[in-house]
């Protein structure tokens, strides 16, 4: 009896891991992070340039 | 020596072209359904007519030229180029009948711009276009971005090996999975999953910007197709500037970036291998070029004092740069402003960004980060060779899914294609000059057409001289198919005229 909730949770986790949406979410989140990183670097550049001019 | 093509050649090229036309005809039924639902009767008949003609032409060609023979490289490449030439013939018909295009040439231009994910438009009064027609414009980008042939491979193909050349002909080199069909299905899975996530995010952002929920869904879906497929069409003439929402622009940035990332990289990311982002030669090249180009752009905009605040410079400059570098073509300011208010450096950066483009094997166009990265690695290797003792063996490596050793052949191939790209860009620019346009304008528009960049300084408009429209159509197709397939089709046409029996 005590193993049932765990099994259900593990089943859900397995289904989540196999879902194409998981891959998609991980993928788009990684791309968003990369864009954010480049964006932050560019904003530092923009800040320096705006201080110069 | 050229040999005149025989029935076998025509069968092989025509049979697969017929399949593609059939697929394009079926795709036209989607906007027809929308026209039916919204009561756009004239558009409904236009789509049904276009679909009927494409399906009839496609099926007839398939039946008349039926063959079971395996495809060769040249047949596959010629079939791809012919499919890309003929698909806009049928896809442009509903556009012409919508009344928003001055001529059939304009409608053909728009269809080619859609399929090749360029984003340049010749539509009159875009803001009052029927929703079904606007959906078709964006749907063409979605289909073309993944690859018209990939669509057909995914739906109709039964044997992967013999149709691999079709996949290669559409400007894709890398097979992500061992089988071409599985690769094209993965490409579609990525596109559909991202479409659901991206459209939902854009819908939320657009509702937040004040659009009613159903309108926001329509705009969100179209914006997603334009951004992820690096297409650049918009439902409004003022493009993304219409929404006046920084949230919409922020959501669009990673979607455009995702479109410029190769499907091979997406595969790695889907598997959770995030380190690939840092190690991959193409992501490194794109990150470095973005930083360098943004520095130059910021300096240019700073000198001309175009923007009074840091915030506006960052918002407008970064969005435009990412849109250009990913060859999307969505804009937050009217294109003419690039040459009237942005000085000289900033538009030059936009042209360079469009010319460089995204990653190989993505929906983006341009020279591609892989080639730039390989050429730079080749230069580094040559410099190291000069600096080290003569008998030293210099080995340069790069990372793309796995660690690979740089070979002379790779550098030479990348340099050759780079040269072809430059010729393509400058040819369009020179023809623009011939018609009396300034160098800055004609080069900008030529690069936008060839690289699929799609940002425009206003040269592309309905009143544009028809020979220039033809030149841009040719540039769009050659750029999208990356030369070889077009050369193969041209070779067959030459062989029909001058080949020996």
């Amino acid at each position: 009896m005590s193993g049932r909730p765990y099994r259900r949770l593990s089943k859900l986790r397995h289904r989540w891991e196999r879902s194409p949406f998981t891959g998609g979410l991980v993928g788009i989140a990684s791309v968003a992070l990369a864009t954010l990183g480049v964006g932050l670097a560019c904003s530092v550049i923009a800040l320096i340039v705006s201080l110069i001019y | 020596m050229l040999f005149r093509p025989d029935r076998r050649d025509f069968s092989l090229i025509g049979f697969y072209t017929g399949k593609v036309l059939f697929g394009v005809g079926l795709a036209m039924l989607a906007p027809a359904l929308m026209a039916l639902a919204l009561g756009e009767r004239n558009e409904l008949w236009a789509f049904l007519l276009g679909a009927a003609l494409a399906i009839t032409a496609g099926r007839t060609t398939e039946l008349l030229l039926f063959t079971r023979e395996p495809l060769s490289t040249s047949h596959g490449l010629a079939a791809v180029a012919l499919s890309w030439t003929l698909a806009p013939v049928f896809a442009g018909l509903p556009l012409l009948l919508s009344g928003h295009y001055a001529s059939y040439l304009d409608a053909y231009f728009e269809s080619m711009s859609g399929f090749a994910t360029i984003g340049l438009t010749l539509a009159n009064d875009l803001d009052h276009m029927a929703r079904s027609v606007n959906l078709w414009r964006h749907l063409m980008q979605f289909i073309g971005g993944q690859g018209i042939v990939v669509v057909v491979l995914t739906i109709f193909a039964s044997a992967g090996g013999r149709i691999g050349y079709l996949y290669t002909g559409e400007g894709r080199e890398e097979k992500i999975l061992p089988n071409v069909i599985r690769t094209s299905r993965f490409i579609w899975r990525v596109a559909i999953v991202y479409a659901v996530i991206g459209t939902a995010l854009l819908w939320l952002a657009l509702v937040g910007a004040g659009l009613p929920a159903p309108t926001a869904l329509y705009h969100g879906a179209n914006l997603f197709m334009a951004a992820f497929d690096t297409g650049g069409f918009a439902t409004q003439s003022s493009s993304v500037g219409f929404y006046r929402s920084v949230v919409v622009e922020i959501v669009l940035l990673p979607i455009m970036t995702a479109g410029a990332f190769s499907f091979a990289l997406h595969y790695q990311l889907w598997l959770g291998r995030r380190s690939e982002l840092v190690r991959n030669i193409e992501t490194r090249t794109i990150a470095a070029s973005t930083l360098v180009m943004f520095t130059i752009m910021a300096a240019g905009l700073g000198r001309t004092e175009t923007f009074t605040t840091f915030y506006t410079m960052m918002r407008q400059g970064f969005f435009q740069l990412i849109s250009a570098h990913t060859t999307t073509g969505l804009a937050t300011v009217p294109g003419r402003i690039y040459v009237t208010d942005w000085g000289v450096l900033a538009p030059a950066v936009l042209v360079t960004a469009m010319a460089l483009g995204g990653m190989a094997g993505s929906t983006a166009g341009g020279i591609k980060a892989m080639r730039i990265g390989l050429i730079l690695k080749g230069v580094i290797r040559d410099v190291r060779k000069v600096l080290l003792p003569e008998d030293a063996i210099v080995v340069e490596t790069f990372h793309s899914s796995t660690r690979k050793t740089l070979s002379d052949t790779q550098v030479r191939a990348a340099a050759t294609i780079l040269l072809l790209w430059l010729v393509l860009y400058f040819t369009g620019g020179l023809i623009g000059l011939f018609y009396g346009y300034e160098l800055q304008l004609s080069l900008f528009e030529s690069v936008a057409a060839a690289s699929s960049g799609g940002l425009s300084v206003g040269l592309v408009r309905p009143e544009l001289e028809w020979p220039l429209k033809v030149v841009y159509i040719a540039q769009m197709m050659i750029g999208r198919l990356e030369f070889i397939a077009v050369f193969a089709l041209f070779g067959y046409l030459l062989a029909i005229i001058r080949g020996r029996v």
Side-chain angles (χ1 to χ4, degrees):
Chain A
M1 282 295 276
S2 59
R4 205 178 276 172
Y6 173 76
R7 227 178 291 145
R8 203 174 293 157
L9 203 68
S10 134
K11 214 180 209 177
L12 271 174
R13 191 179 160 186
H14 183 66
R15 205 176 280 176
W16 164 251
E17 277 171 356
R18 281 182 62 88
S19 159
F21 279 94
T22 315
L25 279 171
V26 170
I28 201 83
S30 312
V31 178
L33 271 175
T35 316
L36 182 72
V38 174
L40 281 175
C42 284
S43 65
V44 173
I45 292 167
L47 194 63
I48 295 166
V49 170
S50 64
L51 286 173
I52 295 170
Y53 290 103
Chain B
M1 188 171 59
L2 287 169
F3 289 101
R4 190 168 293 168
D6 55 20
R7 191 187 149 75
R8 180 180 161 272
D9 299 306
F10 289 124
S11 292
L12 277 166
I13 297 168
F15 178 67
Y16 288 98
T17 307
K19 273 185 183 296
V20 173
L21 294 184
F22 181 64
V24 170
L26 287 183
M28 263 188 259
L29 295 176
L33 272 176
M34 188 171 188
L36 181 70
L38 296 176
E40 295 171 349
R41 286 181 63 184
N42 286 341
E43 285 72 21
L44 172 66
W45 288 115
F47 280 116
L48 289 179
L49 180 68
L53 284 174
I55 289 170
T56 311
R59 288 305 278 178
T60 312
T61 316
E62 266 188 80
L63 290 172
L64 288 176
L65 300 174
F66 179 79
T67 179
R68 282 187 192 279
E69 292 222 27
L71 268 176
S72 70
T73 315
S74 65
H75 291 124
L77 295 176
V80 168
L82 190 62
S83 303
W84 275 79
T85 314
L86 293 179
V89 170
F90 295 96
L93 198 66
L95 297 182
L96 179 72
L97 295 175
S98 73
H100 286 271
Y101 297 88
S103 64
Y104 194 77
L105 180 66
D106 287 14
Y108 185 88
F109 181 103
E110 191 85 356
S111 306
M112 183 61 87
S113 179
F115 282 129
T117 71
I118 312 293
L120 293 174
T121 181
L122 288 177
N124 284 304
D125 195 17
L126 184 62
D127 297 334
H128 297 101
M129 187 177 266
R131 289 197 166 183
S132 54
V133 180
N134 230 332
L135 175 74
W136 178 230
R137 292 171 71 238
H138 289 83
L139 208 56
M140 280 192 285
Q141 298 196 320
F142 196 56
I143 295 166
Q146 265 54 256
I148 302 178
V149 170
V150 167
V151 177
V152 178
L153 288 181
T154 316
I155 303 167
F156 303 110
S158 53
R162 48 182 202 169
I163 44 175
Y165 299 119
L166 294 170
Y167 176 82
T168 322
E170 236 175 12
R172 297 189 196 283
E173 287 158 16
E174 202 167 354
K175 290 186 194 73
I176 304 158
L177 295 159
N179 180 311
V180 176
I181 311 267
R182 282 179 62 196
T183 301
S184 45
R185 283 189 182 147
F186 173 75
I187 288 174
W188 272 97
R189 195 157 49 143
V190 171
I192 289 166
V193 170
Y194 282 180
V196 174
I197 299 168
T199 306
L201 290 173
L202 282 167
W203 177 75
L204 285 172
L206 288 165
V207 168
L211 258 64
T215 314
L217 184 64
Y218 170 76
H219 281 248
N222 282 335
L223 264 182
F224 173 82
M225 289 190 270
F228 179 70
D229 289 284
T230 62
F233 275 161
T235 49
Q236 304 294 322
S237 53
S238 46
S239 192
V240 180
F242 171 78
Y243 306 107
R244 294 178 188 279
S245 162
V246 70
V247 182
V248 173
E249 291 162 29
I250 288 172
V251 174
L252 280 170
L253 285 170
I255 299 176
M256 290 193 285
T257 311
F261 277 12
S262 69
F263 286 99
L265 179 60
H266 283 301
Y267 183 70
Q268 298 293 331
L269 295 177
W270 277 45
L271 295 177
R273 295 173 191 155
R274 279 184 292 278
S275 63
E276 185 67 23
L277 268 176
V278 187
R279 292 190 297 174
N280 191 291
I281 182 173
E282 292 194 275
T283 45
R284 283 182 176 194
T285 309
I286 287 184
S289 59
T290 306
L291 287 176
V292 171
M293 284 192 289
F294 190 77
T295 310
I296 300 168
M297 181 185 242
L301 292 173
R303 272 180 75 90
T304 50
E305 294 176 353
T306 310
F307 300 109
T308 47
T309 62
F310 156 75
Y311 171 74
T312 11
M313 178 170 84
M314 186 63 207
R315 181 177 166 184
Q316 306 289 6
F318 190 64
F319 187 91
Q320 251 64 220
L321 179 63
I322 294 296
S323 179
H325 206 345
T326 57
T327 71
T328 305
L330 291 172
T332 53
V333 290
R336 191 75 193 168
I337 281 182
Y338 303 140
V339 281
T340 55
D341 292 28
W342 283 35
V344 184
L345 275 181
V349 164
L350 290 181
V351 172
T352 314
M354 286 194 286
L356 295 180
M359 290 187 187
S362 69
T363 69
I367 296 165
K368 304 279 161 59
M370 175 60 90
R371 295 193 183 107
I372 303 294
L374 289 179
I375 291 169
L376 288 175
K377 283 265 178 189
V379 171
I380 292 168
R381 187 189 56 181
D382 290 348
V383 170
R384 283 177 61 200
K385 264 185 194 170
V386 172
L387 295 176
L388 289 168
E390 274 186 26
D391 52 351
I393 298 166
V394 180
V395 178
E396 194 70 48
T397 59
F398 64 95
H399 193 96
S400 175
S401 300
T402 53
R403 181 152 291 279
K404 291 162 186 163
T405 308
L406 184 73
S407 70
D408 283 337
T409 323
Q410 285 170 322
V411 179
R412 209 177 304 126
T416 309
I417 302 284
L418 171 73
L419 190 68
L420 286 172
W421 273 107
L422 294 179
V423 170
L424 187 66
Y425 292 149
F426 284 111
T427 306
L430 285 174
I431 297 171
L433 278 180
F434 175 78
Y435 279 95
Y437 296 106
E438 289 170 35
L439 176 66
Q440 199 182 357
L441 300 180
S442 60
L443 195 62
F444 196 107
E445 226 71 346
S446 167
V447 172
S451 71
S452 102
L455 287 174
S456 173
V457 282
L459 220 70
V460 170
R461 64 201 189 288
E463 299 79 32
L464 183 73
E465 291 82 355
W466 72 264
L468 258 182
K469 289 179 187 169
V470 175
V471 168
Y472 290 153
I473 289 171
Q475 281 188 298
M476 291 181 208
M477 188 172 136
I478 296 170
R480 174 63 181 85
L481 299 183
E482 300 208 331
F483 308 100
I484 308 300
V486 181
F487 292 163
L489 181 66
F490 186 72
Y492 271 102
L493 292 176
L494 201 69
I496 291 171
I497 302 162
R498 299 190 57 180
R500 290 195 181 174
V501 182

